[in-house]
Amino acid sequence: MDYHRNYRPCPTFFVEEEYGMESRLRQERQAKQEHEKQVARERQYVMADELSTLTCEQLRDDVLSHMLEMDNQTLPDVESIDIQTEIQWFMRPYLLDFLIEAHTAFQLLPSTLFLAINLLDRYCSKRVVYKRHYQLVGCAALLIAAKYNDKKDRVPTIKELKSMCCSLYDDDMFTQMEWHVLQTLGWSIGHPTVDAFLQHAVLDDAYDPEVEHMALYILEIALFHRDFVAKLSSELARAALALSRCILNRPQPRHTQWSSQYDSATLVALSQQLHQPSTVVARKYASPHYSRVSKVMEHFLTRQASLATYARCTPPVETPIESKPYNGEIGLATPQKSQQLTAIPHGYLTPPITPDNEALVHAHAQMANHDMTRGMPSVHHGCSPSPAPSAEMQYMNSEAYQQEAMYMAQQAALQQFPLAPTHMGMSQTYQGGM
């Protein structure tokens, strides 16, 4: 009893439970608000995509015409690069390998690389570049392209570029070269790159990353060759897209689409440069991020080479020509001899003249009797002998007499020692006239 009398409940007995319920309710309200915000954000994204698609369809032709105009205005001059005193075309692959590795290390956009190469070539078309400054110009072009295309946190710093160049240049040299490139080009940077035209070409098709990666791989290979420096980006993009679809066995677009209007000569020129790509480019596109298209390309080229070797080693099959009887038609060609192989592997040439009638009849009779004794059907009965020339006919060719004498000697030898039948069941004796 004293226990119940002295017991008093603690005022904080239910405080913890009430606080837990309030926190749960607050978390549920916050989660609901976040869900509503996310739904509203997704709706905004959908509306923005619809408006962007509608605007793109309305302004697509205008945008394409502007890109084509800018493409013509921002092309480098190859002939001006040819007359450079120090830099040569064989130096280009070394600089491009360096720029591609730097571009991959900084994880820049694909358009940044193509824009940097365009800025480099345009600068070399207008200024004399020394060999010791060639890499510096490439770094300045990459820095300008990254500032123009990529996000601010992806743009490489001068310190990073200096480290990649092994401290060959000072910090102020990068700044001076960047300013000099911009001033030389008149601050005109907006070149429509090949990947921009590539994105425009695949708007009407379903998304196929392997085709796009293969086209980018082909276009990066084209950067190394002089023949494609002055090519329009639109032509290169369409030809590379068509070539990638051929390699991957994808259907080509309809003739009404812009991407189907590619130049066949450019496509053939691109296909001829796929056999020895740069090691840096092949390693870059062998990653899963680019669908391993360099390995696919390697397998395709190996298969094509094996098919070409097999076609060269396999002799062509000759179809026998069937001779048709002449029925008096006008305009028919001269009947040709059948190309079928003869059943007699070793025969005798047709003599220049036909033997006498009596000798031929006598030889036919002996060969018929010989076949009957061997149990073989005779093939000589019913064959009328060929008419012999008159005795008064004179032959002016002495070689004809020698061939006739040789033939008669062979006939006499056959009459005395007839040959055994061959494995094809036929006699190797002469069986007819001319």
Side-chain angles (χ1 to χ4, degrees), residues 166-425:
C166 301
S167 300
L168 184 62
Y169 310 106
D170 297 332
D171 295 350
D172 57 342
M173 296 181 68
F174 288 95
T175 306
Q176 292 177 8
M177 184 56 70
E178 180 184 1
W179 177 84
H180 197 262
V181 170
L182 291 173
Q183 187 183 28
T184 301
L185 301 182
W187 297 80
S188 177
I189 308 173
H191 168 73
T193 55
V194 288
D195 65 302
F197 284 104
L198 184 64
Q199 295 298 324
H200 183 84
V202 298
L203 283 178
D204 297 331
D205 303 327
Y207 177 63
D208 193 345
E210 193 173 10
V211 172
E212 296 184 18
H213 293 159
M214 181 65 74
L216 288 175
Y217 179 47
I218 296 172
L219 291 171
E220 286 199 23
I221 294 176
L223 292 175
F224 287 77
H225 301 280
R226 176 188 177 277
D227 298 337
F228 306 107
V229 172
K231 281 283 186 180
L232 293 172
S233 299
S234 57
E235 294 183 3
L236 287 174
R238 286 181 290 185
L241 182 61
L243 182 58
S244 64
R245 284 169 173 166
C246 292
I247 294 173
L248 298 174
N249 198 18
R250 300 292 198 276
Q252 293 293 337
R254 298 184 300 272
H255 294 287
T256 57
Q257 297 183 7
W258 178 79
S259 60
S260 64
Q261 303 170 6
Y262 59 87
D263 185 17
S264 58
T266 305
L267 187 146
V268 173
L270 287 174
S271 65
Q272 294 174 351
Q273 306 296 339
L274 302 179
H275 299 280
Q276 293 180 347
S278 170
T279 307
V280 175
V281 180
R283 183 173 64 248
K284 173 184 175 181
Y285 283 89
S287 63
H289 180 70
Y290 290 102
S291 306
R292 296 186 176 91
V293 291
S294 62
K295 298 295 182 182
V296 177
M297 174 78 73
E298 184 179 356
H299 295 331
F300 173 79
L301 295 176
T302 304
R303 184 170 64 253
Q304 293 295 318
S306 62
L307 291 176
T309 304
Y310 177 77
R312 287 194 301 266
C313 296
T314 304
V317 179
E318 295 184 359
T319 306
I321 302 176
E322 298 180 359
S323 60
K324 299 181 179 180
Y326 179 71
N327 297 325
E329 298 89 344
I330 300 176
L332 293 178
T334 304
Q336 300 294 326
K337 182 180 178 181
S338 176
Q339 299 295 329
Q340 296 179 354
L341 297 177
T342 178
I344 304 176
H346 302 287
Y348 297 100
L349 298 175
T350 304
I353 61 173
T354 306
D356 295 336
N357 292 343
E358 296 180 358
L360 187 61
V361 172
H362 182 66
H364 281 195
Q366 288 187 354
M367 286 189 290
N369 295 333
H370 178 70
D371 293 340
M372 292 300 294
T373 56
R374 290 179 175 269
M376 299 172 56
S378 177
V379 295
H380 308 287
H381 300 295
C383 298
S384 59
S386 301
S390 59
E392 291 81 7
M393 182 178 296
Q394 300 293 330
Y395 296 96
M396 303 302 297
N397 190 0
S398 60
E399 185 179 357
Y401 282 104
Q402 296 177 4
Q403 294 182 2
E404 180 181 2
M406 184 183 298
Y407 173 75
M408 297 303 298
Q410 291 173 354
Q411 290 293 328
L414 287 175
Q415 293 178 9
Q416 295 180 3
F417 306 98
L419 298 176
T422 62
H423 65 283
M424 300 184 68

